[in-house]
């Protein structure tokens, strides 16, 4: 299947969609219902139930007798995973190397709806090339805990930013003819005990913070499938949570597609059948023979099964199956996706500090650069547990720098610190033999004296040092959370030692989630958050460091001063102190692959969401807690002036839209992007509100000396709160302050309007 065919297919789909354009994105899925009902009428109960569980580890059954193809899934969320067989064993195909797109938090740092849409397109097109129907992504849980193992896959601590990214990703991917599968629905914010933990959460934060992005991606984006999370929410597993799956997703939001359990996350026949699950992944222990028995025994009405089949067939009809002999004809990664990965990487990099304008580096002024740190060369595409991409290529930071400086500057690379590989480290060390000393035995192992000495020597005779700090894919990984946000393997000690011999240090942090940067910040003139930035990440980083482009990323989450300041830690509700008998996914793997049969029934500890809506900056700002770097923060090589805030009216009714305009001037001498942000504060409110909340933002490119007027829109409906007393959305009338600026703690302009 080549690119041209994919575009023709996508165009056909678009034309089809335009034809039913007056339907809502979800209702478009119902256009084939008559045909589908005829098909259901011809199916046996056994054939219907055959569709409701996995066929292989990455597919579910169609209706072979009636010529309806299987549904084929592949893991995202930042690239099409290589072809895997049972037990996720790679099958060693030659054409399945995909584009490694920047991971979730990097995409989020662009704050760009245009790029989120393109990202979805890039992903969607590669799924088609591989003959796949459903992207297991976007991964869009709120970043509640700085330590969350999947922080890097997720987007943001803020629901509005999260919602925009998930919705645009969805539109982009589905416009290319591939369905998304929004994951993990819902309140899957920790990996600790993920398979059984019970999130205890009030309805208001559930709706306003944790479900917002799912709602928008379903209602506005038209998402065709949803993956239920492993955990429980308020007492019920997500795969059998009728409140989430039936009352909210289907009845309120009008979802017409299908749900699939996270792999190994189905727990009962009756619960799943009546609680809104369509597909058990994986196995057929619940939505297989036991469901047939339950229907025959009159416990589950056959209509429930028919509804599930109808929802699956709607997606099957909306997504054109790729014939076996057309799929996988060319390499999965193509320039179309690679260029998108590059563009996203360029706009995601966040400049945190730039004392004395040490950045951008003037090539003419440096003869020798010491590049210190394993993260300059380590791959971030794969490794650890869970999401990863067999990338076609990966421009690491070191390669990016070497390509950029060419012959002009001497670059000396030293590893600086050991590799930490978590539980894989032991195996690696054992297989490499006792002599191998390059893999750390503990994450907090102090710097290795020989490596440290080598790094100091390199720094001593260089004009500047670029130090690569951060985590890796074993430290931030699915299945476990970090113990803390400390920099690992003696990195603080190393940067301090480097600073003793060279005061020209630029530190680049390669991580998906936040790290405690207090020490490196002290010893570095400049500090850059470089993310896990995809296959072109090194190119983009070098372009920023050497001033080809101005940095323009903004933090999609807060960097706390210390972990203990963040809400769940401050309120002592995380980590929960319970032994839950292993990770559910690991247990399933041992059962399927290792043939082990007995596991202790996992306990189900409560995760109390005691902070309510005060997640991320909402907590720090409301409680007046200092942070290291605030939400929305990011410097450029230019400065911007903000002036002349105006609104189109002074008072607004519930169905109106507030239009806020202001001017931004680029004071520098290079073209640069800015991400203006608009927050709302309540004045004399009776309802409890966070100190402020993000309500609108944009990304604008401004030429040197140019002033641009931006107009951002806030629908008044977005200012409502979930009123538990009426179990619905409600608007608190009265005055609100609208503040605008370049981060949540750098707000230059303010005006007041009234909600009437
Ligand atoms: C993850 C999902 C993933 C699935 C299939 C699970 O462990 O939580 O995000 O899509 O595995 O690989």
């Amino acid at each position: 299947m080549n690119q041209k065919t994919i575009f023709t297919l996508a165009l056909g789909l678009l034309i089809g969609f335009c034809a039913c354009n007056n339907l809502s994105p979800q209702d478009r899925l119902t256009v084939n219902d008559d045909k589908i009902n005829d098909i259901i009428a011809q199916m046996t109960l056994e054939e219907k139930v055959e569709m409701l569980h996995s066929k292989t580890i990455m597919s579910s059954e169609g209706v072979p007798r009636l010529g309806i193809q299987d549904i084929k899934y592949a893991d995202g969320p930042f690239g099409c995973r290589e072809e895997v067989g049972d037990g996720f064993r790679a099958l060693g195909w030659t054409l399945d190397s995909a584009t490694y797109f920047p991971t979730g938090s990097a995409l989020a740092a662009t704050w760009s709806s245009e790029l989120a849409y393109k990202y979805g397109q890039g992903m969607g097109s590669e799924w088609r090339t591989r003959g796949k129907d459903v992207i297991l992504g976007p991964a869009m849980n709120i970043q509640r805990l700085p330590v969350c193992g999947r922080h890097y896959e997720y987007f943001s601590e803020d629901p509005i930013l999260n919602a925009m990214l998930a919705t645009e990703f969805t539109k982009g991917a589905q416009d290319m003819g591939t369905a998304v599968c929004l994951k993990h629905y819902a309140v899957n914010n920790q990996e600790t005990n993920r398979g059984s933990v019970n999130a205890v959460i009030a309805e208001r934060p559930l709706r306003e913070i944790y479900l917002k992005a799912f709602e928008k991606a379903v209602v506005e984006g038209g998402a065709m499938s949803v993956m239920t999370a492993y955990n429980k929410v308020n007492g019920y597993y997500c795969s059998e949570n009728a409140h989430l799956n039936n009352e909210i997703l289907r009845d309120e939001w009008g979802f017409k597609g299908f749900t699939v359990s996270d792999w190994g996350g189905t727990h009962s026949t009756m619960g799943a059948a009546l609680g809104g699950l369509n597909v058990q992944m994986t196995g057929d222990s619940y939505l297989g023979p036991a469901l047939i028995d339950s229907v025959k025994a009159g416990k589950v009405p056959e209509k429930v099964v028919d509804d599930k089949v109808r929802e699956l067939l709607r997606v099957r009809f909306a997504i054109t199956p790729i014939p076996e002999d057309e799929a996988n004809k060319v390499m999965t990664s193509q320039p179309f996706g690679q260029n998108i990965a590059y563009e996203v990487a360029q706009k995601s990099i966040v400049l945190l500090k730039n004392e004395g304008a040490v950045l951008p580096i003037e090539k003419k002024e440096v003869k020798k650069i010491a590049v210190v740190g394993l993260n300059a060369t380590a791959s971030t595409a794969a490794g650890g547990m869970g999401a990863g991409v067999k990338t076609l290529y990966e421009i690491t930071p070191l390669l990016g720098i070497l390509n950029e400086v060419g012959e002009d500057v001497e670059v000396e690379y030293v590893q600086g610190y050991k590799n930490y590989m978590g539980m894989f480290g032991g195996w690696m060390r054992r297989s490499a033999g006792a002599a191998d000393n390059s893999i750390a035995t503990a994450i907090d192992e102090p710097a290795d004296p020989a490596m440290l000495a080598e790094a100091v020597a390199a720094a001593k005779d260089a004009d500047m040092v670029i130090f690569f700090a951060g985590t890796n894919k074993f430290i931030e990984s699915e299945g476990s959370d970090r113990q803390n946000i400390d920099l690992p393997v003696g990195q603080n000690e190393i940067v301090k030692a480097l600073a003793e011999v060279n005061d020209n240090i630029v530190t680049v942090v390669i991580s998906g989630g936040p790290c405690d940067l207090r020490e490196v910040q002290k010893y570095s003139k400049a500090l850059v958050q470089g993310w896990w930035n995809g296959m072109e990440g090194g190119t983009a980083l070098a372009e920023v460091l050497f001033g080809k482009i101005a940095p323009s990323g903004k933090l999609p989450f807060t960097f706390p001063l210390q972990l203990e300041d963040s809400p769940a830690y401050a309120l002592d509700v995380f980590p929960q102190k319970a032994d839950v008998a292993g990770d559910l996914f690991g247990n399933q793997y041992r059962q399927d692959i290792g043939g082990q049969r007995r596991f202790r029934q996992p306990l189900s500890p409560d995760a109390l969401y005691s902070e309510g809506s005060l997640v991320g900056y909402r907590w720090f700002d409301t409680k007046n807690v200092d942070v290291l770097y605030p939400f929305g923060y990011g410097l450029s090589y230019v400065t911007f002036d903000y002036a002349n805030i105006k609104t189109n009216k002074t008072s607004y009714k519930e169905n109106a839209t507030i239009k806020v305009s202001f001017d931004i001037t680029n004071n520098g001498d290079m073209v640069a992007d800015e991400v203006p942000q608009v927050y709302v504060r309540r004045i004399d409110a009776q309802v409890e509100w966070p100190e402020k909340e993000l309500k609108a933002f944009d990304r604008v490119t401004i030429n040197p000396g140019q002033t641009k007027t931006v107009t951002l829109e806030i629908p008044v409906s977005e200012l409502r709160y979930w009123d538990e007393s009426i179990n619905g959305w409600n608007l608190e009338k009265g005055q609100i302050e609208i503040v605008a600026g370049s981060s949540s703690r750098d707000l230059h302009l303010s005006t007041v309007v009234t909600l009437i």
Side-chain angles (χ1 to χ4, degrees), residues 648-668:
N648 60 332
K649 293 200 277 181
T650 53
S651 59
Y652 297 87
K653 292 203 175 125
E654 185 154 357
N655 55 4
T657 293
I658 306 172
K659 292 189 177 159
V660 195
S661 323
F662 45 89
D663 298 336
I664 311 177
T665 305
N666 175 350
N667 288 323

Side-chain angles (χ1 to χ4, degrees), residues 57-58 74-77 81 88 136-137 139 150 153-154 183-184 188 191 194 227 230 262-263 385-387 478 585:
I57 197 161
M58 283 288 155
D75 250 317
R81 192 174 187 156
F88 288 95
L136 300 178
R150 303 185 80 169
E153 287 185 62
Y154 300 153
K183 71 186 191 186
H184 311 86
N188 182 180
E191 292 300 284
R194 64 174 170 162
M227 186 189 295
Y230 281 135
D262 200 342
W263 272 229
M385 178 177 172
E478 187 180 320
F585 188 83

Side-chain angles (χ1 to χ4, degrees), residues 109-112 347-348 552-553 673-676 697-701:
T110 68
W111 294 57
S112 165
K347 302 206 165 171
S348 71
S552 60
D673 279 12
E674 168 67 328
V675 177
F697 54 88
D698 201 358
R699 171 178 270 270
V700 280
T701 304

